[in-house]
Amino acid sequence: MAFTLVILVAVGAVYLFASQTTGGEIRRYGERMEEMRFGRVGFELSRYYRERGSWEGIQTYVEQWGNLYGQWIILTDSNGVVVADSQGKLLGEQYQSETEGRRLSPPWEESTPGTLYINPGPTTHIPSPLSLSQAISRFLILGALLAVVIALIFTFFLSRRISAPVKALTLAASRLGQGDLSQRVQFKDKGEMGEMGQAFNSMADDLERTEQLRRNMIADAAHELRTPLSNIRGYLEAIRDGIKKPDTKTILSLDEEAMLLSRLVDDLQELSLAEANELKLVCQSEDIATLIKQTVAAKQSRAAEKGVSLSTDLSEKMPPVNIDSQRISQVLSNLLDNAIAHTGNGGSITVTAETQDNRVKVNVTDTGEGIPPEDLPNIFERFYRVDKSRTRATGGSGLGLTIAKRLVEAHGGSIEARSEPGKGSCFSFTVLISQ
């Protein structure tokens, strides 16, 4: 309907413009032609009168001119009496016309020998300007109607071609909204519709991936909660049945499992606050080098237990950064725990920092086992582990990197990971320099 309206407006505008312009030009052309006829006939009549000295015998010539031009030509003498009539009706009669005639005044005559009148004849062979304008208007109307019909046919097929992928996209979006995340669209068009199809497919891929991660998260959360709960329940049942005694060792085991549950719940709560942008950060100007050294020193004993060398390589003059020192220390601690867990005996971990524009970039580089390329995009997702065995010795709860990412983003920075299997990994995050 929109295409049809545009076509009608365009054709109507062209018709009005062409009709008005053509009508005006035809009227001016008609006026010029009438003037030429008057001049030509008047010239011939003047010459005839000069040669003959009277109007005798002029009737034959007037009849010929009337047939030639398709006009009713009347010639009166100086007294207004008709001396020639191309139709032969008014000869000898007194003639009075509503139209203005042309007086014939040859330069050699002191008086006017006659007056010429040219009126439209009943059998005009040459179309009048009005009839010609009307004929052209009819042709314009017919042409406009034909153009509208042809345009509507093309519009119909064009709209079908345009609406077909839109309908396909609408149907796929409807099914996607109903939970069928396998919906994809295939467009051969490389224009806007092709880009829209690619955007839809990309969105569907992200939704499917997010849904799969959500399911994995629920399963992982249930697993993480179930394991310590099962251990606690097993200890309590053993004590109740008299198999174990509630001695110090048993109570320490129960306390350890309770601490695991508490840490997992705290991590989940902290993660939910970070994702809801409700984390309370106390940001102030801090010395990032001092913070890094303190955090690394706290992890030295754990690294030494695994036979891993942990060191720093920092510039003497680092600009102060605007951070919540407790939260950024937590980020660095999570990255170090992750590096220590995945670096074997004899390996090394190095923490460096560098200035980039208005940011400081902190790098934690290890010589551990590395991360497979297919796992690298997912390592910051909740409960995601490269080690599918789910052992806490190598996998942890799967929330440390996710929390680290949310904390860095809450500071206005970014975090990334680079890795090559068998050659180690490098985790980097940025924080803003104090203004």
Side-chain angles (χ1 to χ4, degrees):
M1 292 182 66
F3 280 142
T4 303
L5 180 61
V6 171
I7 292 168
L8 291 175
V9 170
V11 171
V14 171
Y15 167 74
L16 290 176
F17 176 78
S19 177
Q20 293 296 324
T21 304
T22 304
E25 289 297 325
I26 290 176
R27 284 192 296 271
R28 286 188 288 273
Y29 174 77
E31 292 171 357
R32 290 194 298 270
M33 289 298 295
E34 288 294 326
E35 184 66 25
M36 288 175 62
R37 288 181 192 136
F38 262 112
R40 187 175 302 170
V41 174
F43 175 77
E44 293 294 335
L45 289 173
S46 298
R47 186 175 67 174
Y48 182 91
Y49 189 83
R50 181 188 64 182
E51 293 175 353
R52 302 290 179 91
S54 68
W55 294 120
E56 185 178 352
I58 195 60
Q59 175 63 26
T60 302
Y61 293 100
V62 170
E63 289 179 357
Q64 291 176 357
W65 291 333
N67 292 330
L68 176 63
Y69 294 121
Q71 302 288 320
W72 186 9
I73 301 175
I74 298 173
L75 175 64
T76 63
D77 59 13
S78 57
N79 297 319
V81 177
V82 177
V83 294
D85 179 359
S86 63
Q87 297 183 11
K89 296 179 180 180
L90 303 176
L91 289 172
E93 298 182 6
Q94 193 77 24
Y95 182 72
Q96 290 183 349
S97 176
E98 296 178 357
T99 61
E100 184 179 357
R102 172 171 292 188
R103 295 182 180 275
L104 303 175
S105 302
W108 60 88
E109 294 286 346
E110 295 180 358
S111 61
T112 301
T115 304
L116 173 65
Y117 298 91
I118 298 180
N119 302 313
T123 57
T124 301
H125 301 291
I126 300 176
S128 66
L130 179 60
S131 62
L132 186 59
S133 177
Q134 291 174 346
I136 292 177
S137 295
R138 286 195 297 271
F139 280 114
L140 285 175
I141 292 175
L142 291 175
L145 292 176
L146 180 62
V148 168
V149 172
I150 295 175
L152 288 177
I153 294 174
F154 277 105
T155 299
F156 174 76
F157 289 104
L158 181 61
S159 62
R160 288 283 298 272
R161 185 174 182 272
I162 293 175
S163 62
V166 174
K167 290 180 179 178
L169 188 61
T170 302
L171 179 61
S174 176
R175 291 179 177 174
L176 188 71
Q178 295 173 2
D180 185 2
L181 300 181
S182 64
Q183 288 294 315
R184 301 293 186 275
V185 291
Q186 300 295 330
F187 291 157
K188 296 180 180 179
D189 187 6
K190 296 183 179 180
E192 289 82 356
M193 292 305 303
E195 293 177 0
M196 186 181 295
Q198 292 178 0
F200 176 85
N201 291 339
S202 177
M203 178 193 69
D205 290 338
D206 291 341
L207 286 175
E208 189 172 23
R209 176 173 169 273
T210 301
E211 177 63 16
Q212 185 60 44
L213 291 173
R214 184 188 67 83
R215 293 176 181 175
N216 292 342
M217 183 199 71
I218 294 174
D220 290 339
H223 172 83
E224 293 298 329
L225 292 171
R226 185 184 300 113
T227 301
L229 284 174
S230 298
N231 291 339
I232 292 173
R233 184 177 178 182
Y235 277 116
L236 292 176
E237 287 179 353
I239 292 172
R240 182 189 62 191
D241 296 338
I243 299 174
K244 273 189 172 292
K245 294 181 180 181
D247 53 15
T248 303
K249 182 179 179 181
T250 303
I251 292 174
L252 287 175
S253 298
L254 287 171
D255 183 65
E256 182 180 349
E257 297 296 337
M259 288 296 295
L260 284 174
L261 274 175
S262 178
R263 277 202 303 271
L264 180 59
V265 171
D266 289 342
D267 287 346
L268 287 171
Q269 182 180 17
E270 189 169 27
L271 183 60
S272 66
L273 289 174
E275 291 183 339
N277 294 322
E278 294 183 0
L279 272 179
K280 295 181 180 179
L281 300 179
V282 182
C283 294
Q284 56 188 5
S285 183
E286 299 283 353
D287 182 2
I288 189 67
T290 301
L291 180 65
I292 292 173
K293 292 176 182 178
Q294 291 175 350
T295 307
V296 169
K299 299 295 179 180
Q300 285 289 357
S301 60
R302 184 183 173 192
E305 290 177 1
K306 286 199 65 177
V308 175
S309 170
L310 179 57
S311 62
T312 61
D313 184 8
L314 305 173
S315 173
E316 295 182 359
K317 293 183 179 181
M318 295 293 296
V321 292
N322 186 36
I323 58 172
D324 183 328
S325 59
Q326 182 178 354
R327 295 298 187 181
I328 295 302
S329 177
Q330 182 180 355
V331 170
L332 186 56
S333 179
N334 284 343
L335 295 181
L336 289 173
D337 286 340
N338 187 70
I340 293 171
H342 293 278
T343 302
N345 187 11
S348 64
I349 301 172
T350 305
V351 182
T352 61
E354 55 185 328
T355 304
Q356 293 183 344
D357 297 329
N358 63 335
R359 299 170 183 266
V360 170
K361 184 177 183 181
V362 180
N363 306 298
V364 178
T365 306
D366 63 63
T367 59
E369 59 198 32
I371 303 171
E374 63 273 14
D375 292 313
L376 197 58
N378 301 318
I379 59 174
F380 292 105
E381 299 294 341
R382 307 179 192 89
F383 294 109
Y384 190 87
R385 293 194 193 88
V386 175
D387 181 8
K388 301 300 187 294
S389 66
R390 298 182 180 275
T391 60
R392 285 188 177 82
T394 59
S397 67
L399 292 176
L401 291 179
T402 308
I403 293 173
K405 179 181 179 182
R406 297 296 185 269
L407 290 177
V408 170
E409 290 175 347
H411 281 79
S414 61
I415 189 169
E416 62 179 2
R418 302 183 303 277
S419 183
E420 187 175 349
K423 295 185 178 180
S425 306
C426 177
F427 286 81
S428 305
F429 67 91
T430 61
V431 288
L432 297 174
I433 296 174
S434 298
Q435 299 298 327

